[in-house]
Short mmCIF file of all heavy atoms in Angstrom, two decimals:
data_model
loop_
_atom_site.label_atom_id
_atom_site.label_comp_id
_atom_site.label_asym_id
_atom_site.label_seq_id
_atom_site.Cartn_x
_atom_site.Cartn_y
_atom_site.Cartn_z
N MET F 1066 0.80 -1.13 -0.04
CA MET F 1066 0.03 0.00 -0.01
C MET F 1066 0.85 1.30 0.03
O MET F 1066 1.95 1.27 0.56
CB MET F 1066 -0.87 -0.02 1.27
CG MET F 1066 -1.87 1.00 1.33
SD MET F 1066 -3.13 0.73 2.62
CE MET F 1066 -3.24 2.33 3.25
N SER F 1067 0.46 2.25 -0.72
CA SER F 1067 1.25 3.42 -0.75
C SER F 1067 0.71 4.61 0.09
O SER F 1067 -0.37 4.41 0.71
CB SER F 1067 1.21 3.90 -2.21
OG SER F 1067 0.00 4.25 -2.65
N VAL F 1068 1.44 5.62 0.15
CA VAL F 1068 1.07 6.82 0.89
C VAL F 1068 -0.07 7.61 0.17
O VAL F 1068 0.00 7.71 -1.14
CB VAL F 1068 2.21 7.77 1.20
CG1 VAL F 1068 1.80 9.07 1.88
CG2 VAL F 1068 3.30 7.08 2.02
N ILE F 1069 -1.09 7.90 0.79
CA ILE F 1069 -2.19 8.61 0.21
C ILE F 1069 -2.28 10.07 0.76
O ILE F 1069 -2.21 10.25 1.87
CB ILE F 1069 -3.57 7.94 0.53
CG1 ILE F 1069 -3.54 6.50 -0.16
CG2 ILE F 1069 -4.76 8.75 -0.25
CD1 ILE F 1069 -4.67 5.73 0.41
N GLN F 1070 -2.39 11.03 -0.21
CA GLN F 1070 -2.45 12.47 0.15
C GLN F 1070 -3.79 13.00 -0.28
O GLN F 1070 -4.14 12.76 -1.46
CB GLN F 1070 -1.32 13.31 -0.39
CG GLN F 1070 -0.02 13.00 0.18
CD GLN F 1070 1.11 13.95 -0.17
OE1 GLN F 1070 0.83 15.13 -0.27
NE2 GLN F 1070 2.26 13.34 -0.47
N GLU F 1071 -4.54 13.63 0.58
CA GLU F 1071 -5.84 14.28 0.25
C GLU F 1071 -5.95 15.62 0.75
O GLU F 1071 -5.48 15.95 1.75
CB GLU F 1071 -7.04 13.39 0.86
CG GLU F 1071 -7.09 11.98 0.46
CD GLU F 1071 -7.96 11.16 1.24
OE1 GLU F 1071 -9.20 11.15 0.80
OE2 GLU F 1071 -7.62 10.68 2.37
N GLU F 1072 -6.60 16.48 -0.12
CA GLU F 1072 -6.89 17.91 0.38
C GLU F 1072 -8.22 17.85 1.03
O GLU F 1072 -9.19 17.28 0.44
CB GLU F 1072 -6.88 18.87 -0.78
CG GLU F 1072 -5.49 19.07 -1.48
CD GLU F 1072 -4.58 19.80 -0.53
OE1 GLU F 1072 -5.03 20.70 0.14
OE2 GLU F 1072 -3.33 19.52 -0.63
N LYS F 1073 -8.31 18.31 2.25
CA LYS F 1073 -9.58 18.24 2.98
C LYS F 1073 -9.83 19.79 3.55
O LYS F 1073 -9.10 20.61 3.50
CB LYS F 1073 -9.35 17.38 4.29
CG LYS F 1073 -9.07 16.05 4.02
CD LYS F 1073 -10.31 15.30 3.46
CE LYS F 1073 -10.02 13.71 3.38
NZ LYS F 1073 -11.22 12.93 3.05
N THR F 1074 -11.13 19.95 3.86
CA THR F 1074 -11.60 21.24 4.54
C THR F 1074 -12.25 20.83 5.95
O THR F 1074 -12.74 19.67 6.04
CB THR F 1074 -12.55 21.99 3.74
OG1 THR F 1074 -13.69 21.17 3.47
CG2 THR F 1074 -11.95 22.38 2.34
N GLY F 1075 -12.19 21.76 6.88
CA GLY F 1075 -12.74 21.55 8.14
C GLY F 1075 -12.84 22.78 8.91
O GLY F 1075 -12.53 23.96 8.51
N VAL F 1076 -13.12 22.57 10.26
CA VAL F 1076 -13.17 23.83 11.14
C VAL F 1076 -12.41 23.41 12.35
O VAL F 1076 -12.33 22.32 12.84
CB VAL F 1076 -14.69 23.97 11.57
CG1 VAL F 1076 -14.83 25.05 12.70
CG2 VAL F 1076 -15.56 24.21 10.34
N ILE F 1077 -11.66 24.47 12.93
CA ILE F 1077 -10.88 24.30 14.07
C ILE F 1077 -11.94 24.05 15.16
O ILE F 1077 -12.82 24.87 15.32
CB ILE F 1077 -9.97 25.53 14.37
CG1 ILE F 1077 -9.04 25.83 13.32
CG2 ILE F 1077 -9.33 25.43 15.64
CD1 ILE F 1077 -7.90 24.96 13.18
N GLU F 1078 -11.72 22.88 15.89
CA GLU F 1078 -12.81 22.56 16.88
C GLU F 1078 -12.28 22.95 18.30
O GLU F 1078 -13.15 23.45 19.12
CB GLU F 1078 -13.02 21.06 16.83
CG GLU F 1078 -14.03 20.53 17.73
CD GLU F 1078 -14.28 19.06 17.47
OE1 GLU F 1078 -13.46 18.38 17.44
OE2 GLU F 1078 -15.55 18.72 17.19
N LEU F 1079 -11.07 22.71 18.59
CA LEU F 1079 -10.52 23.05 19.99
C LEU F 1079 -9.02 22.94 19.96
O LEU F 1079 -8.35 22.54 19.03
CB LEU F 1079 -11.07 22.08 21.05
CG LEU F 1079 -10.80 20.59 20.91
CD1 LEU F 1079 -9.59 20.26 21.79
CD2 LEU F 1079 -11.92 19.66 21.49
N TYR F 1080 -8.43 23.56 21.12
CA TYR F 1080 -7.08 23.56 21.22
C TYR F 1080 -6.59 22.77 22.43
O TYR F 1080 -7.30 22.88 23.45
CB TYR F 1080 -6.37 24.97 21.31
CG TYR F 1080 -6.41 25.65 20.12
CD1 TYR F 1080 -7.31 26.65 19.72
CD2 TYR F 1080 -5.34 25.37 19.06
CE1 TYR F 1080 -7.32 27.32 18.56
CE2 TYR F 1080 -5.36 26.09 17.94
CZ TYR F 1080 -6.30 27.05 17.63
OH TYR F 1080 -6.18 27.71 16.44
N TYR F 1081 -5.43 21.95 22.31
CA TYR F 1081 -4.97 21.26 23.50
C TYR F 1081 -3.79 22.25 24.24
O TYR F 1081 -3.71 22.08 25.38
CB TYR F 1081 -4.35 19.96 23.13
CG TYR F 1081 -5.19 19.06 22.36
CD1 TYR F 1081 -4.73 18.48 21.10
CD2 TYR F 1081 -6.52 18.75 22.71
CE1 TYR F 1081 -5.58 17.73 20.46
CE2 TYR F 1081 -7.33 17.95 22.03
CZ TYR F 1081 -6.78 17.43 20.89
OH TYR F 1081 -7.71 16.58 20.12
N ASP F 1082 -3.13 22.88 23.39
CA ASP F 1082 -2.18 24.02 23.82
C ASP F 1082 -1.92 24.92 22.75
O ASP F 1082 -2.70 24.91 21.80
CB ASP F 1082 -0.85 23.18 24.19
CG ASP F 1082 -0.17 22.45 23.17
OD1 ASP F 1082 -0.36 22.74 21.89
OD2 ASP F 1082 0.64 21.44 23.40
N MET F 1083 -0.89 25.77 22.79
CA MET F 1083 -0.69 26.74 21.70
C MET F 1083 -0.43 26.21 20.36
O MET F 1083 -0.70 26.96 19.50
CB MET F 1083 0.63 27.58 22.25
CG MET F 1083 0.34 28.46 23.48
SD MET F 1083 -0.96 29.65 23.27
CE MET F 1083 -0.19 30.87 22.13
N ASP F 1084 0.11 25.06 20.23
CA ASP F 1084 0.45 24.46 18.91
C ASP F 1084 -0.36 23.26 18.47
O ASP F 1084 -0.15 22.91 17.23
CB ASP F 1084 1.94 24.08 18.88
CG ASP F 1084 2.92 25.32 19.33
OD1 ASP F 1084 2.64 26.37 18.93
OD2 ASP F 1084 3.82 25.06 20.03
N ALA F 1085 -1.16 22.79 19.22
CA ALA F 1085 -1.86 21.47 18.83
C ALA F 1085 -3.43 21.60 19.16
O ALA F 1085 -3.71 22.34 20.08
CB ALA F 1085 -1.27 20.30 19.58
N GLY F 1086 -4.16 20.82 18.34
CA GLY F 1086 -5.58 20.95 18.50
C GLY F 1086 -6.31 19.99 17.75
O GLY F 1086 -5.69 18.90 17.34
N SER F 1087 -7.53 20.25 17.47
CA SER F 1087 -8.37 19.32 16.69
C SER F 1087 -9.11 20.04 15.73
O SER F 1087 -9.59 20.97 15.80
CB SER F 1087 -9.26 18.64 17.65
OG SER F 1087 -10.26 17.85 17.06
N ILE F 1088 -9.30 19.33 14.41
CA ILE F 1088 -10.04 19.79 13.28
C ILE F 1088 -11.24 18.90 13.02
O ILE F 1088 -11.03 17.75 13.05
CB ILE F 1088 -9.19 19.95 12.04
CG1 ILE F 1088 -8.09 21.03 12.16
CG2 ILE F 1088 -10.06 20.26 10.81
CD1 ILE F 1088 -7.12 21.06 11.02
N ARG F 1089 -12.41 19.44 12.94
CA ARG F 1089 -13.57 18.69 12.45
C ARG F 1089 -13.74 18.74 11.01
O ARG F 1089 -14.01 19.85 10.48
CB ARG F 1089 -14.77 19.14 13.19
CG ARG F 1089 -16.10 18.46 12.71
CD ARG F 1089 -16.86 17.46 13.53
NE ARG F 1089 -16.58 17.35 15.02
CZ ARG F 1089 -16.52 16.23 15.53
NH1 ARG F 1089 -16.62 15.20 14.89
NH2 ARG F 1089 -16.20 16.18 16.76
N GLU F 1090 -13.54 17.58 10.33
CA GLU F 1090 -13.75 17.51 8.83
C GLU F 1090 -15.14 17.91 8.35
O GLU F 1090 -16.02 17.37 8.93
CB GLU F 1090 -13.22 16.11 8.36
CG GLU F 1090 -13.09 16.12 6.79
CD GLU F 1090 -12.65 14.64 6.50
OE1 GLU F 1090 -11.70 14.10 7.20
OE2 GLU F 1090 -13.09 14.25 5.43
N ASP F 1091 -15.30 18.59 7.35
CA ASP F 1091 -16.54 18.95 6.87
C ASP F 1091 -17.46 17.87 6.45
O ASP F 1091 -18.58 17.77 6.80
CB ASP F 1091 -16.36 20.06 5.67
CG ASP F 1091 -16.00 21.33 6.07
OD1 ASP F 1091 -16.14 21.66 7.17
OD2 ASP F 1091 -15.54 22.10 5.21
N VAL F 1092 -17.03 17.01 5.48
CA VAL F 1092 -17.87 15.97 4.95
C VAL F 1092 -18.20 14.86 5.85
O VAL F 1092 -19.38 14.44 6.00
CB VAL F 1092 -17.27 15.40 3.62
CG1 VAL F 1092 -18.03 14.32 3.02
CG2 VAL F 1092 -17.04 16.53 2.60
N THR F 1093 -17.18 14.28 6.58
CA THR F 1093 -17.39 13.16 7.36
C THR F 1093 -17.61 13.46 8.91
O THR F 1093 -17.82 12.48 9.59
CB THR F 1093 -16.19 12.10 7.20
OG1 THR F 1093 -15.05 12.78 7.75
CG2 THR F 1093 -16.00 11.76 5.69
N ASN F 1094 -17.35 14.59 9.31
CA ASN F 1094 -17.41 15.01 10.71
C ASN F 1094 -16.29 14.31 11.52
O ASN F 1094 -16.37 14.20 12.79
CB ASN F 1094 -18.79 14.68 11.29
CG ASN F 1094 -19.60 16.00 11.14
OD1 ASN F 1094 -19.17 17.10 10.83
ND2 ASN F 1094 -20.83 15.79 11.38
N ALA F 1095 -15.32 13.77 10.76
CA ALA F 1095 -14.20 12.96 11.49
C ALA F 1095 -13.35 14.18 12.34
O ALA F 1095 -13.22 15.31 11.74
CB ALA F 1095 -13.36 12.33 10.54
N THR F 1096 -12.90 13.78 13.35
CA THR F 1096 -11.91 14.61 14.20
C THR F 1096 -10.48 14.23 13.81
O THR F 1096 -10.05 13.14 13.87
CB THR F 1096 -12.26 14.41 15.70
OG1 THR F 1096 -13.55 14.82 15.87
CG2 THR F 1096 -11.36 15.51 16.40
N ARG F 1097 -9.70 15.29 13.39
CA ARG F 1097 -8.34 15.08 13.09
C ARG F 1097 -7.44 15.85 14.07
O ARG F 1097 -7.60 17.22 14.21
CB ARG F 1097 -7.98 15.50 11.70
CG ARG F 1097 -9.00 14.97 10.73
CD ARG F 1097 -8.60 13.64 10.29
NE ARG F 1097 -9.44 13.20 9.26
CZ ARG F 1097 -9.68 12.02 9.02
NH1 ARG F 1097 -9.07 11.00 9.62
NH2 ARG F 1097 -10.44 11.52 7.95
N ASP F 1098 -6.54 15.28 14.81
CA ASP F 1098 -5.55 16.03 15.55
C ASP F 1098 -4.52 16.74 14.77
O ASP F 1098 -4.22 16.23 13.68
CB ASP F 1098 -4.84 15.06 16.67
CG ASP F 1098 -5.87 14.71 17.62
OD1 ASP F 1098 -6.82 15.22 17.97
OD2 ASP F 1098 -5.55 13.63 18.18
N PHE F 1099 -4.02 17.99 15.12
CA PHE F 1099 -3.08 18.47 14.36
C PHE F 1099 -2.01 19.11 15.26
O PHE F 1099 -2.26 19.47 16.38
CB PHE F 1099 -3.63 19.52 13.45
CG PHE F 1099 -4.11 20.77 14.08
CD1 PHE F 1099 -3.21 21.90 14.38
CD2 PHE F 1099 -5.48 20.87 14.49
CE1 PHE F 1099 -3.70 23.05 15.04
CE2 PHE F 1099 -5.99 22.05 15.11
CZ PHE F 1099 -5.10 23.07 15.46
N TYR F 1100 -0.86 19.34 14.67
CA TYR F 1100 0.27 20.20 15.31
C TYR F 1100 0.67 21.30 14.27
O TYR F 1100 1.10 20.91 13.11
CB TYR F 1100 1.42 19.30 15.65
CG TYR F 1100 2.60 20.25 16.15
CD1 TYR F 1100 2.63 20.51 17.50
CD2 TYR F 1100 3.63 20.48 15.38
CE1 TYR F 1100 3.54 21.28 18.08
CE2 TYR F 1100 4.70 21.37 15.86
CZ TYR F 1100 4.65 21.67 17.19
OH TYR F 1100 5.72 22.47 17.68
N HIS F 1101 0.65 22.43 14.64
CA HIS F 1101 1.00 23.51 13.74
C HIS F 1101 1.61 24.70 14.70
O HIS F 1101 0.92 25.23 15.42
CB HIS F 1101 -0.27 24.13 13.06
CG HIS F 1101 0.12 25.26 12.09
ND1 HIS F 1101 0.58 25.02 10.79
CD2 HIS F 1101 -0.06 26.47 12.21
CE1 HIS F 1101 0.69 26.17 10.27
NE2 HIS F 1101 0.39 27.12 11.10
N PRO F 1102 2.90 24.89 14.69
CA PRO F 1102 3.54 25.99 15.52
C PRO F 1102 2.79 27.18 15.44
O PRO F 1102 2.57 27.85 14.44
CB PRO F 1102 4.97 26.02 14.97
CG PRO F 1102 5.24 24.73 14.21
CD PRO F 1102 3.99 24.42 13.69
N GLY F 1103 2.48 27.77 16.53
CA GLY F 1103 1.71 29.00 16.71
C GLY F 1103 0.30 29.04 16.27
O GLY F 1103 -0.36 30.12 16.03
N ALA F 1104 -0.27 27.82 16.18
CA ALA F 1104 -1.70 27.77 15.66
C ALA F 1104 -2.61 28.57 16.52
O ALA F 1104 -3.58 29.29 15.84
CB ALA F 1104 -2.11 26.30 15.69
N GLN F 1105 -2.49 28.71 17.61
CA GLN F 1105 -3.48 29.45 18.46
C GLN F 1105 -3.35 31.00 18.29
O GLN F 1105 -4.43 31.70 18.41
CB GLN F 1105 -3.42 29.10 19.97
CG GLN F 1105 -4.72 29.43 20.77
CD GLN F 1105 -4.74 28.78 22.16
OE1 GLN F 1105 -3.63 28.57 22.72
NE2 GLN F 1105 -5.84 28.48 22.57
N VAL F 1106 -2.32 31.42 17.79
CA VAL F 1106 -2.09 32.77 17.45
C VAL F 1106 -2.72 33.02 15.96
O VAL F 1106 -3.42 34.12 15.87
CB VAL F 1106 -0.64 33.13 17.49
CG1 VAL F 1106 -0.42 34.44 16.94
CG2 VAL F 1106 -0.09 32.92 18.88
N GLU F 1107 -2.67 32.07 15.10
CA GLU F 1107 -3.06 32.44 13.69
C GLU F 1107 -4.57 32.05 13.46
O GLU F 1107 -5.18 32.67 12.74
CB GLU F 1107 -2.31 31.34 12.75
CG GLU F 1107 -0.83 31.77 12.53
CD GLU F 1107 -0.08 30.81 11.61
OE1 GLU F 1107 -0.75 30.52 10.58
OE2 GLU F 1107 0.98 30.42 11.94
N TYR F 1108 -5.16 31.08 14.31
CA TYR F 1108 -6.43 30.67 14.09
C TYR F 1108 -7.22 30.67 15.45
O TYR F 1108 -6.66 30.53 16.39
CB TYR F 1108 -6.51 29.21 13.55
CG TYR F 1108 -5.54 28.96 12.41
CD1 TYR F 1108 -4.54 28.09 12.63
CD2 TYR F 1108 -5.84 29.38 11.13
CE1 TYR F 1108 -3.62 27.83 11.50
CE2 TYR F 1108 -4.99 29.18 10.17
CZ TYR F 1108 -3.83 28.37 10.28
OH TYR F 1108 -2.98 28.08 9.29
N VAL F 1109 -8.49 30.91 15.27
CA VAL F 1109 -9.37 30.85 16.46
C VAL F 1109 -10.31 29.72 16.26
O VAL F 1109 -10.53 29.23 15.14
CB VAL F 1109 -10.19 32.22 16.66
CG1 VAL F 1109 -9.32 33.35 16.96
CG2 VAL F 1109 -11.02 32.45 15.52
N VAL F 1110 -10.94 29.27 17.33
CA VAL F 1110 -11.99 28.10 17.35
C VAL F 1110 -12.99 28.58 16.36
O VAL F 1110 -13.56 29.63 16.60
CB VAL F 1110 -12.35 27.70 18.68
CG1 VAL F 1110 -13.49 26.83 18.65
CG2 VAL F 1110 -11.31 27.05 19.57
N GLY F 1111 -13.37 27.65 15.45
CA GLY F 1111 -14.48 28.01 14.51
C GLY F 1111 -13.99 28.42 13.15
O GLY F 1111 -14.78 28.60 12.18
N ASP F 1112 -12.67 28.75 12.91
CA ASP F 1112 -12.20 29.13 11.72
C ASP F 1112 -12.22 28.03 10.62
O ASP F 1112 -11.96 26.83 10.92
CB ASP F 1112 -10.72 29.56 11.78
CG ASP F 1112 -10.46 30.94 12.12
OD1 ASP F 1112 -11.45 31.70 12.29
OD2 ASP F 1112 -9.26 31.45 12.33
N ALA F 1113 -12.70 28.33 9.45
CA ALA F 1113 -12.67 27.34 8.36
C ALA F 1113 -11.23 27.23 7.86
O ALA F 1113 -10.58 28.18 7.63
CB ALA F 1113 -13.65 27.69 7.35
N VAL F 1114 -10.71 25.96 7.69
CA VAL F 1114 -9.40 25.79 7.18
C VAL F 1114 -9.40 24.73 6.17
O VAL F 1114 -10.31 23.84 6.06
CB VAL F 1114 -8.54 25.30 8.42
CG1 VAL F 1114 -8.30 26.49 9.47
CG2 VAL F 1114 -8.96 24.06 9.05
N GLN F 1115 -8.22 24.68 5.37
CA GLN F 1115 -7.97 23.63 4.42
C GLN F 1115 -6.76 22.95 4.86
O GLN F 1115 -5.81 23.60 5.51
CB GLN F 1115 -7.65 24.25 3.07
CG GLN F 1115 -8.86 24.72 2.39
CD GLN F 1115 -8.45 25.19 0.93
OE1 GLN F 1115 -7.54 26.07 0.90
NE2 GLN F 1115 -9.12 24.75 -0.12
N TYR F 1116 -6.63 21.75 4.72
CA TYR F 1116 -5.32 21.00 5.17
C TYR F 1116 -5.14 19.69 4.40
O TYR F 1116 -6.02 19.33 3.55
CB TYR F 1116 -5.47 20.58 6.62
CG TYR F 1116 -6.61 19.50 6.96
CD1 TYR F 1116 -6.47 18.25 6.99
CD2 TYR F 1116 -7.97 20.15 7.18
CE1 TYR F 1116 -7.54 17.46 7.21
CE2 TYR F 1116 -8.93 19.35 7.47
CZ TYR F 1116 -8.72 17.98 7.56
OH TYR F 1116 -9.80 17.08 7.75
N ARG F 1117 -3.89 19.30 4.36
CA ARG F 1117 -3.59 18.00 3.77
C ARG F 1117 -3.62 16.89 4.68
O ARG F 1117 -2.92 16.94 5.72
CB ARG F 1117 -2.21 18.13 3.06
CG ARG F 1117 -1.71 16.93 2.30
CD ARG F 1117 -0.49 17.09 1.60
NE ARG F 1117 -0.68 18.14 0.56
CZ ARG F 1117 0.13 18.98 0.13
NH1 ARG F 1117 1.36 18.92 0.68
NH2 ARG F 1117 -0.16 19.84 -0.79
N LEU F 1118 -4.36 15.89 4.40
CA LEU F 1118 -4.32 14.52 5.15
C LEU F 1118 -3.55 13.60 4.48
O LEU F 1118 -3.71 13.10 3.24
CB LEU F 1118 -5.84 14.14 5.30
CG LEU F 1118 -6.02 12.94 6.15
CD1 LEU F 1118 -5.70 13.09 7.53
CD2 LEU F 1118 -7.50 12.34 6.07
N ILE F 1119 -2.57 13.04 5.22
CA ILE F 1119 -1.71 12.07 4.66
C ILE F 1119 -1.90 10.77 5.41
O ILE F 1119 -1.77 10.78 6.58
CB ILE F 1119 -0.21 12.43 4.83
CG1 ILE F 1119 0.04 13.76 4.08
CG2 ILE F 1119 0.85 11.37 4.39
CD1 ILE F 1119 1.45 14.45 4.44
N THR F 1120 -2.26 9.67 4.69
CA THR F 1120 -2.49 8.35 5.23
C THR F 1120 -1.24 7.42 4.88
O THR F 1120 -0.94 7.32 3.73
CB THR F 1120 -3.78 7.79 4.71
OG1 THR F 1120 -4.81 8.69 4.87
CG2 THR F 1120 -4.06 6.43 5.43
N LEU F 1121 -0.62 6.92 5.86
CA LEU F 1121 0.68 6.09 5.79
C LEU F 1121 0.21 4.59 5.49
O LEU F 1121 -0.92 4.24 5.81
CB LEU F 1121 1.53 6.16 6.96
CG LEU F 1121 1.98 7.62 7.27
CD1 LEU F 1121 2.74 7.62 8.59
CD2 LEU F 1121 2.87 8.12 6.20
N PRO F 1122 1.06 3.88 4.90
CA PRO F 1122 0.71 2.45 4.71
C PRO F 1122 0.30 1.67 5.90
O PRO F 1122 -0.48 0.79 5.86
CB PRO F 1122 2.09 1.90 4.18
CG PRO F 1122 2.80 2.99 3.53
CD PRO F 1122 2.37 4.17 4.48
N ASN F 1123 0.68 2.02 7.17
CA ASN F 1123 0.27 1.32 8.53
C ASN F 1123 -1.05 1.89 8.76
O ASN F 1123 -1.52 1.47 9.87
CB ASN F 1123 1.31 1.47 9.52
CG ASN F 1123 1.61 2.99 9.98
OD1 ASN F 1123 0.81 3.88 9.48
ND2 ASN F 1123 2.54 3.07 10.84
N GLY F 1124 -1.64 2.82 8.17
CA GLY F 1124 -3.08 3.37 8.44
C GLY F 1124 -3.00 4.68 9.42
O GLY F 1124 -4.02 5.24 9.60
N ARG F 1125 -1.88 5.07 9.89
CA ARG F 1125 -1.59 6.24 10.61
C ARG F 1125 -1.91 7.45 9.69
O ARG F 1125 -1.55 7.47 8.51
CB ARG F 1125 -0.30 6.30 11.23
CG ARG F 1125 0.04 7.52 12.07
CD ARG F 1125 1.34 7.51 12.81
NE ARG F 1125 1.65 8.77 13.32
CZ ARG F 1125 2.59 9.57 13.14
NH1 ARG F 1125 3.54 9.10 12.22
NH2 ARG F 1125 2.81 10.64 13.69
N THR F 1126 -2.57 8.40 10.30
CA THR F 1126 -2.75 9.72 9.47
C THR F 1126 -2.07 10.92 10.08
O THR F 1126 -1.86 10.86 11.28
CB THR F 1126 -4.35 10.05 9.45
OG1 THR F 1126 -4.83 10.30 10.71
CG2 THR F 1126 -5.05 8.96 8.75
N ILE F 1127 -1.65 11.83 9.27
CA ILE F 1127 -0.93 13.00 9.59
C ILE F 1127 -1.63 14.25 8.98
O ILE F 1127 -2.01 14.15 7.78
CB ILE F 1127 0.46 12.99 9.11
CG1 ILE F 1127 1.27 11.81 9.64
CG2 ILE F 1127 1.25 14.24 9.43
CD1 ILE F 1127 2.72 11.55 9.03
N THR F 1128 -1.84 15.16 9.66
CA THR F 1128 -2.58 16.44 9.25
C THR F 1128 -1.41 17.45 9.01
O THR F 1128 -0.67 17.86 10.03
CB THR F 1128 -3.49 17.00 10.26
OG1 THR F 1128 -4.49 15.85 10.50
CG2 THR F 1128 -4.31 18.12 9.76
N LYS F 1129 -1.31 18.03 7.90
CA LYS F 1129 -0.27 18.92 7.56
C LYS F 1129 -0.84 20.19 6.66
O LYS F 1129 -1.89 20.11 6.18
CB LYS F 1129 0.91 18.30 6.73
CG LYS F 1129 1.60 17.26 7.45
CD LYS F 1129 2.88 16.83 6.77
CE LYS F 1129 3.81 18.04 6.84
NZ LYS F 1129 5.15 17.73 7.19
N ASP F 1130 0.05 21.17 6.62
CA ASP F 1130 -0.25 22.28 5.66
C ASP F 1130 -1.59 22.94 6.01
O ASP F 1130 -2.26 23.19 5.05
CB ASP F 1130 -0.08 21.92 4.14
CG ASP F 1130 1.25 21.34 3.90
OD1 ASP F 1130 2.25 21.77 4.51
OD2 ASP F 1130 1.33 20.52 2.87
N ILE F 1131 -1.87 23.35 7.14
CA ILE F 1131 -3.01 23.95 7.56
C ILE F 1131 -3.09 25.41 7.12
O ILE F 1131 -2.07 26.15 7.39
CB ILE F 1131 -3.25 23.83 9.11
CG1 ILE F 1131 -3.37 22.37 9.47
CG2 ILE F 1131 -4.48 24.61 9.50
CD1 ILE F 1131 -3.21 22.16 10.94
N ARG F 1132 -4.16 25.85 6.50
CA ARG F 1132 -4.22 27.32 6.16
C ARG F 1132 -5.70 27.70 6.09
O ARG F 1132 -6.59 26.85 5.88
CB ARG F 1132 -3.62 27.40 4.73
CG ARG F 1132 -4.15 26.53 3.59
CD ARG F 1132 -3.19 26.54 2.38
NE ARG F 1132 -3.77 25.62 1.40
CZ ARG F 1132 -3.60 24.43 1.42
NH1 ARG F 1132 -2.88 23.77 2.36
NH2 ARG F 1132 -3.97 23.67 0.38
N LYS F 1133 -5.92 28.99 6.17
CA LYS F 1133 -7.31 29.42 6.24
C LYS F 1133 -7.95 29.31 4.83
O LYS F 1133 -7.36 29.33 3.84
CB LYS F 1133 -7.40 30.92 6.57
CG LYS F 1133 -7.05 31.18 8.01
CD LYS F 1133 -7.36 32.61 8.38
CE LYS F 1133 -7.22 32.79 9.90
NZ LYS F 1133 -7.44 34.15 10.39
N LYS F 1134 -9.20 28.88 4.91
CA LYS F 1134 -10.04 28.63 3.72
C LYS F 1134 -10.35 29.91 3.10
O LYS F 1134 -10.63 30.83 3.55
CB LYS F 1134 -11.16 27.81 4.15
CG LYS F 1134 -11.93 27.27 3.03
CD LYS F 1134 -13.00 26.27 3.65
CE LYS F 1134 -14.00 26.04 2.57
NZ LYS F 1134 -15.02 25.13 3.15
#
């Protein structure tokens, strides 16, 4: 199985600390954890964002390249 990359949209749901939090995906309502340095300074809870979801061969997912929609 290969690495799969998808462009997704969602909403910032909550923050765990200044750099990490959770995004609720628009279509599936799935919750995705993320790490983005300075995220709480750049985004507020409820902001619409686009991000890249990377699924590894072992099934683990990584959320990267978060930006405002």
Side-chain angles (χ1 to χ4, degrees):
M1066 188 169 138
S1067 62
V1068 174
I1069 300 168
Q1070 293 189 42
E1071 304 170 88
E1072 291 293 324
K1073 300 283 188 172
T1074 59
V1076 175
I1077 302 288
E1078 187 172 53
L1079 61 94
Y1080 284 104
Y1081 306 130
D1082 60 27
M1083 292 297 290
D1084 301 323
S1087 175
I1088 296 173
R1089 170 111 14 224
E1090 188 179 320
D1091 285 341
V1092 176
T1093 64
N1094 269 345
T1096 301
R1097 310 282 184 199
D1098 290 336
F1099 72 89
Y1100 175 81
H1101 181 82
Q1105 203 167 25
V1106 175
E1107 291 183 45
Y1108 313 108
V1109 296
V1110 171
D1112 273 356
V1114 293
Q1115 289 181 306
Y1116 60 96
R1117 180 173 297 147
L1118 181 65
I1119 301 169
T1120 305
L1121 302 176
N1123 65 3
R1125 182 173 171 241
T1126 59
I1127 301 170
T1128 304
K1129 294 195 70 140
D1130 302 331
I1131 300 167
R1132 57 196 176 278
K1133 287 191 179 181
K1134 190 170 163 184

